[in-house]
Amino acid sequence: MAEMRRFDLVIVGGGPAGMAAAVSARENGLESILILERDSELGGILNQCIHNGFGLHTFKEELTGPEYAERYADKVRELGIPYETGAMVLDIAEDKTVTVLSAAHGVEQIAAKSVILAMGCRERPRGALNIAGFRPQGVYTAGTAQKLVNCEGVSVGKEVVILGSGDIGLIMARRMTLEGAHVAAVVELMPYSSGLKRNIVQCLDDYGIPLMLSHTVVDIKGKERLEGVTVAAVDNTNTPIAGTEQYFPCDTLLLSCGLIPENELSKNCGIALDPRTNGAVVDSRLETSIEGVFACGNVLHVHDLVDFVSQEASTAGAEAAFYVKNGRTPDETIDVTVGNCVRYTVPSRIHITEPFPDAHIRFRVTGVFRNTSIIVRSGEAEIFRKKNRILVPSEMLDIVIKGDKLKGLSGEINVSLEEEV
Ligand SMILES: Cc1cc2nc3c(=O)[nH]c(=O)nc-3n(C[C@H](O)[C@H](O)[C@H](O)COP(=O)(O)OP(=O)(O)OC[C@H]3O[C@@H](n4cnc5c(N)ncnc54)[C@H](O)[C@@H]3O)c2cc1C
């Protein structure tokens, strides 16, 4: 029997997060690395995002999704980091044995000293939305339609309604219009859009596509093929209001109703998950509840910009390299708790260790807030404050607490929003 392959670091997923983590681990001195990707090429979901707007932070230029992914794939190849495509990870054990299925090796077990989880996220499907009506052809998640149109050259429909104003839905409203379809409306349950402002302007306003806030689809008509949808206004408990129904004849309904981190492997491995993000609970090293297993990118929490995914993954790669070379010694930590108007934070614990590095705290707010300050407190002491004109749930926030402010702290720090007076 062939001997078990062994690596210092196995990375699950070859999307932007997996690739940036691998590059950073190698640049931090780790030689023995393997990226496992179930798809036929590296790049993850960016391969189907052919619009531009990627990389403004990382490369200071506007790239398409595939161009952004290619920059990292080139780097992976330049650095000679091994990767295997068509390799589906089936299981990760607590001792970091990774079980993988591929045409080249069949079902194989690989021993790893450390693992980085970079499996990305998937879209919330119709089954999770409880919309009345039959199950006709013509109902797609926005990402599936994006793949069909951009990668397979298939036209999915001519008269379109989009439910949910997440970024993929907004991007697809423009894409379908450019493909010659008519997008009647983007319908959003919440009183605010869940997509970025720039996407609302560039993808809806520029093309005259109406955004119907506080509305939802209450019925789907058509048995074999979609014939139309009924849209109604909702009240402040998100309950449809009788008498407000409008019927839109259409052959296509696209769903852009949220992304779910792909954490089945993490769950089976016994990694603690945060119900607010559906991602792993991590500390400031991006280490999960299992020593030597790190998480980054959309599998950790859903990001709106890929640049932040790459940044976060780079930290995970450096931390995995440090762990393999130095192991762990116990140190002081403080918890990060959420206060007023803050939905979650990543990380939920910060290490307070020499030489006291700066700590990133990423989070989202619970609603739309004007003229507020983000405040971080340790007990009564304020260690961070930043004024903001407007904060919205669709934009992930990233604040940096200076290392010297963390020195000597114990217990917990609390992140909250307060109204400016
Ligand atoms: C449909 C869709 C469209 C998007 N459009 C945009 C956009 O226009 N602009 C933007 O900034 N962001 C967009 N995003 C967000 C985008 O996902 C992130 O910016 C970025 O791609 C996340 O990188 P990632 O590496 O964490 O995840 P992904 O890009 O999703 O990569 C994860 C990789 O892990 C692999 N994988 C998963 N499970 C396994 C397994 N068990 N074994 C082996 N491999 C596995 C997957 O095949 C995939 O290649 C979109 C997301 C989705 C879902």
Side-chain angles (χ1 to χ4, degrees):
M1 209 170 103
E3 210 178 303
M4 199 183 206
R5 291 197 287 164
R6 293 174 188 280
F7 292 89
D8 282 348
L9 170 61
V10 169
I11 299 174
V12 187
M19 292 191 291
V23 167
S24 161
R26 174 58 60 83
E27 287 173 346
N28 280 279
L30 214 57
E31 277 304 311
S32 161
I33 304 172
L34 177 64
I35 305 174
L36 295 169
E37 167 55 53
R38 66 183 171 192
D39 216 333
S40 56
E41 54 189 325
L42 294 176
I45 211 80
L46 293 191
N47 289 332
Q48 68 184 61
C49 302
I50 62 171
H51 54 279
N52 61 352
F54 296 87
L56 282 169
H57 295 257
T58 311
F59 298 110
K60 310 284 178 258
E61 52 182 314
E62 268 202 59
L63 304 172
T64 63
E67 283 169 342
Y68 185 97
E70 201 52 28
R71 297 262 172 121
Y72 276 93
D74 286 347
K75 194 91 187 152
V76 165
R77 287 188 275 263
E78 250 170 63
L79 292 171
I81 301 171
Y83 63 90
E84 290 170 14
T85 54
M88 170 88 178
V89 173
L90 302 177
D91 186 59
I92 303 167
E94 212 181 322
D95 68 356
K96 298 184 270 288
T97 302
V98 176
T99 306
V100 57
L101 172 69
S102 67
H105 301 278
V107 176
E108 186 195 6
Q109 290 198 317
I110 295 174
K113 286 190 190 154
S114 67
V115 173
I116 294 182
L117 308 171
M119 292 90 80
C121 60
R122 62 169 178 266
E123 297 175 283
R124 185 164 283 125
R126 179 180 171 186
L129 297 173
N130 286 332
I131 309 170
F134 289 104
R135 298 283 178 271
Q137 294 170 39
V139 182
Y140 304 86
T141 62
T144 302
Q146 188 179 51
K147 184 159 192 180
L148 287 169
V149 173
N150 292 349
C151 303
E152 314 289 334
V154 173
S155 160
V156 294
K158 288 283 170 225
E159 186 64 30
V160 185
V161 171
I162 299 180
L163 175 61
S165 61
D167 287 313
I168 312 166
L170 300 177
I171 298 279
M172 281 311 289
R174 176 176 67 185
R175 188 77 187 105
M176 295 299 286
T177 308
L178 295 174
E179 283 294 308
H182 173 248
V183 179
V186 173
V187 179
E188 168 60 55
L189 181 72
M190 304 306 287
Y192 49 81
S193 165
S194 46
L196 295 174
K197 180 77 185 159
R198 75 170 195 210
N199 283 336
I200 295 171
V201 173
Q202 293 171 8
C203 301
L204 301 190
D205 298 352
D206 286 358
Y207 294 85
I209 300 168
L211 172 61
M212 300 174 73
L213 297 174
S214 300
H215 280 73
T216 192
V217 170
V218 290
D219 193 27
I220 290 178
K221 185 161 183 273
K223 200 164 179 188
E224 299 299 326
R225 174 86 210 180
L226 181 66
E227 291 169 20
V229 297
T230 305
V231 170
V234 296
D235 63 18
N236 55 12
T237 63
N238 295 338
T239 309
I241 304 169
T244 64
E245 295 87 355
Q246 292 176 62
Y247 181 69
F248 289 88
C250 60
D251 58 19
T252 306
L253 173 67
L254 301 188
L255 306 172
S256 179
C257 301
L259 298 168
I260 307 168
E262 290 248 15
N263 271 305
E264 283 66 26
L265 291 174
S266 326
K267 223 180 285 174
N268 290 343
C269 180
I271 288 170
L273 298 183
D274 183 334
R276 298 165 304 177
T277 55
N278 291 313
V281 174
V282 292
D283 60 22
S284 48
R285 295 172 179 150
L286 301 178
E287 192 168 28
T288 66
S289 58
I290 296 187
E291 190 182 297
V293 179
F294 301 80
C296 56
N298 276 0
V299 78
L300 178 56
H301 58 133
V302 175
H303 294 65
D304 25 85
L305 290 179
V306 71
D307 304 76
F308 296 137
V309 168
S310 306
Q311 238 176 50
E312 187 178 84
S314 183
T315 303
E319 290 293 349
F322 184 89
Y323 169 76
V324 170
K325 288 191 280 178
N326 303 291
R328 277 279 169 264
T329 43
D331 60 10
E332 295 294 317
T333 60
I334 50 168
D335 290 336
V336 186
T337 58
V338 299
N340 204 22
C341 311
V342 175
R343 191 154 69 81
Y344 71 84
T345 65
V346 170
S348 45
R349 205 155 43 88
I350 294 179
H351 290 269
I352 310 285
T353 339
E354 288 271 5
F356 304 108
D358 296 348
H360 278 266
I361 301 180
R362 300 187 162 113
F363 64 99
R364 288 183 193 265
V365 292
T366 54
V368 178
F369 301 101
R370 289 173 202 281
N371 303 320
T372 55
S373 284
I374 300 167
I375 299 176
V376 183
R377 287 199 177 86
S378 164
E380 293 300 305
E382 193 176 295
I383 60 167
F384 179 92
R385 175 181 280 261
K386 187 176 178 219
K387 277 188 190 173
N388 296 279
R389 203 173 54 77
I390 182 158
L391 295 177
V392 290
S394 56
E395 281 181 33
M396 189 189 79
L397 297 159
D398 182 355
I399 58 172
V400 181
I401 312 286
K402 291 281 171 208
D404 61 343
K405 298 273 181 197
L406 295 166
K407 215 185 281 183
L409 295 187
S410 61
E412 63 173 51
I413 57 173
N414 181 274
V415 185
S416 67
L417 283 196
E418 275 176 27
E419 221 173 303
E420 278 295 320
V421 280

